[in-house]
Every structure is written in C-alpha cells, then in structure tokens.
Amino acid sequence: MQIHSSIADLRSALKGRGRVVFVPTMGNLHAGHISLMTQARAHGDTVVASIFVNRLQFGPNEDFDKYPRTFQADCDKLAAAGVDVLFAPTEADLYPEPQEYVVEPPAIQNILDGEFRPGHFRGVATVVLKLFNIVQPQAAVFGKKDYQQLMVIRNMTRQLALPITIIGGETVRADDGLALSSRNGYLSTAERAEAPRLYRLLNDIRDAIRSGESDTVKLENKAVSELAAAGWKTDYVAVRQQSDLSTPNGVNTPLVVLAASRLGNTRLIDNLEV
Ligand code: PAF
C-alpha cells in the first residue's frame, strides 16, 4: 500500500489508475471501516482511503484533541484489507491557510445531530468536497451509521453535479448489537455493557411501527424515558422520513429511527431503517 501525505504526490500516484473508489475516514479503524474498504474494492480498480481528523467538524467543547489516533495500526489494517493507496495529510497539507471558503449545507445541517453539533455538517461537507477534489474518485463509500452525514454528502454531490457515485455501507455491529464506532473505545466496562440498550430501543420502535403504531412521538418519548432511567442523557430519538429526514406526515413513506445519546461522557449515535 502506498502512503502519501502531500496532495501533489497523491495526484501523481493516482494517474492512470482506472476507476478510483474512495473511502474517507478519521482513522482508529474498526471492522465497520474495513467493511467499507471491502465494498469499495467491488466498485473499482483502485481503492484509496484517507485518514484525517478534521478539526473543522468538531465543536469547541468536543473531542478533537482526545480523538484516538492509531496511525500504525490503521495502516496495517488497510494494507491487510487490500487498500491500494492511503492519503494521510497533516493539517498543514490539507489546510495550509485558514479554510475560509466552506460548503454551507442547507437546513438539514441544523436538525438532529446538527442541532446539537452546530457547524458539524459544514465542517464535514467542506472537508469531503476538498478530499473529493484532491482524490477525484469515480465513487466514494460512506457508512450508513452516520445517516445524516451520508444524506448531506449525497445531496451535496448531486446538487453540485460532482461526477461521483455515493455508496452507503451497512452498519457493522458487535454481537450484542452495538454499532461499531471509534468512540466506543471511550466507554468504561460498565458503560460498554449498557450501550446496546440504544439499538434495542431502536428495534422496539421499529417493531411497534411495523405492528401499526402511528404515534411516533409517543414511541420517541418512551425511548427517551427508558434511556433516562438507565442513566443516559439523550439529545434525540427521532422517527423521520428516509427521503429527507423530515417528520413523518402520515403517508406511508419509508421511515428511519435515529438516536443520539450520551453514556457518561461518550456520545453514541445509531439509526435503523424501518
Ligand atoms: O465519517 C467520518 O469519519 C468523517 O466525518 C469524514 C467523512 C471522514 C469526514 O471527516
């Protein structure tokens, strides 16, 4: 696997490489990331991954400084997964001057995660567009675990007419249902044992909707109460339309249940399509 940190080196390494499929990450890779790499391999000739902890998408009180950086272990995993090229820029490579030109997503950036992480999706969209411009892939793979992020990137790609196919990768879960996430490493042993409750409650909501329950607000409130009783502090549990994350309108459209809640200091997110 080739590793490049400079934009110029990466560009010359990618010349004549056929169809490039790109998987951007922030490192601290787990089986969920590796499954995105495997999926990427099926869509092109050259798989390019990136590792970059993007300061722009972290709020001032968030975990940018303590975000786990495990570069050597990540390289070993990517090489074993058959990734061809890794782009691992430093902040000076990617942001040699303050990034003043940014992508400002529309109102979707202010709901759900965006309500609790102001500026987060601006930071994500900006770095992803910049990485797309550097790598110039024909396709890119993003995990469905970050459901709202995937939607922001799909919409940006479509509206800006970027010639890139966006592929959503299924969430990979531990045996007890907990969605794999780099932030799971922050959980204490007791918190890790409690953490699968979030996915169980999403399943309860999905099952209730499938059985005909139409009062989605009642279902959301019940889940928030159950989480509170177990010591969680919830940002949201929300049943939304898959198409645009708006609230259900009573018409029979595909729904998704999304949640973000905190166990101790660790904020976990998850979602489940109904
Ligand atoms: O999902 C992530 O890891 C990040 O948000 C991304 C897409 C790599 C942008 O920094």
Side-chain angles (χ1 to χ4, degrees):
M1 180 177 75
Q2 290 187 21
I3 303 177
H4 297 286
S5 58
S6 104
I7 295 174
D9 290 351
L10 179 82
R11 282 191 170 140
S12 56
L14 291 182
K15 283 207 179 92
R17 285 281 199 148
R19 187 176 159 82
V20 170
V21 188
F22 177 43
V23 189
T25 81
M26 297 204 300
N28 194 233
L29 304 179
H30 49 66
H33 295 108
I34 300 307
S35 101
L36 302 182
M37 306 297 160
T38 310
Q39 212 170 322
R41 166 66 53 218
H43 285 270
D45 307 303
T46 298
V47 176
V48 178
S50 67
I51 295 179
F52 181 68
V53 185
N54 173 39
R55 187 186 290 276
L56 295 189
Q57 69 190 73
F58 288 79
N61 300 318
E62 294 186 351
D63 55 345
F64 175 77
D65 287 330
K66 78 165 187 176
Y67 198 85
R69 286 148 172 99
T70 50
F71 187 68
Q72 196 46 57
D74 292 345
C75 289
D76 295 345
K77 289 177 190 169
L78 292 174
V83 167
D84 300 293
V85 179
L86 170 62
F87 180 47
T90 63
E91 282 203 280
D93 291 311
L94 207 62
Y95 298 134
E97 54 185 308
Q99 187 68 34
E100 293 168 338
Y101 287 79
V102 296
V103 179
E104 194 70 57
I108 191 177
Q109 73 162 321
N110 300 319
I111 62 170
L112 300 170
D113 247 41
E115 182 184 341
F116 297 91
R117 304 188 68 189
H120 171 67
F121 290 111
R122 181 193 308 124
V124 169
T126 301
V127 80
V128 169
L129 181 61
K130 190 159 187 172
L131 290 167
F132 280 175
N133 284 331
I134 293 166
V135 177
Q136 302 198 3
Q138 278 69 52
V141 188
F142 293 84
K144 278 193 184 178
K145 173 167 173 291
D146 295 301
Y147 204 88
Q148 191 174 3
Q149 166 174 287
L150 176 59
M151 187 165 290
V152 167
I153 290 164
R154 269 193 206 290
N155 293 352
M156 173 183 82
T157 303
R158 190 185 63 253
Q159 290 203 1
L160 296 180
L162 306 178
I164 302 170
T165 304
I166 303 299
I167 298 156
E170 293 305 324
T171 302
V172 177
R173 299 183 179 280
D175 289 344
D176 59 10
L178 178 66
L180 299 192
S181 162
S182 302
R183 291 189 168 98
N184 292 352
Y186 299 152
L187 297 168
S188 68
T189 308
E191 289 166 346
R192 175 63 190 81
E194 169 59 25
R197 185 184 303 275
L198 191 62
Y199 183 55
R200 283 202 300 274
L201 290 173
L202 296 185
N203 274 283
D204 290 349
I205 294 177
R206 181 183 67 175
D207 293 348
I209 294 171
R210 282 184 173 169
S211 312
E213 177 58 76
S214 57
D215 188 345
T216 52
V217 174
K218 185 178 86 181
L219 296 172
E220 291 166 1
N221 290 340
K222 183 165 174 278
V224 172
S225 303
E226 286 185 37
L227 287 166
W232 297 65
K233 291 194 174 53
T234 299
D235 286 348
Y236 60 85
V237 174
V239 180
R240 296 296 172 97
Q241 301 199 53
Q242 283 182 26
S243 57
D244 59 2
L245 300 184
S246 60
T247 47
N249 57 9
V251 181
N252 197 11
T253 52
L255 300 176
V256 55
V257 195
L258 306 107
S261 194
R262 245 169 250 281
L263 249 189
N265 292 324
T266 307
R267 186 174 187 273
L268 298 178
I269 64 170
D270 203 350
N271 66 78
L272 190 62
E273 289 177 334
V274 176

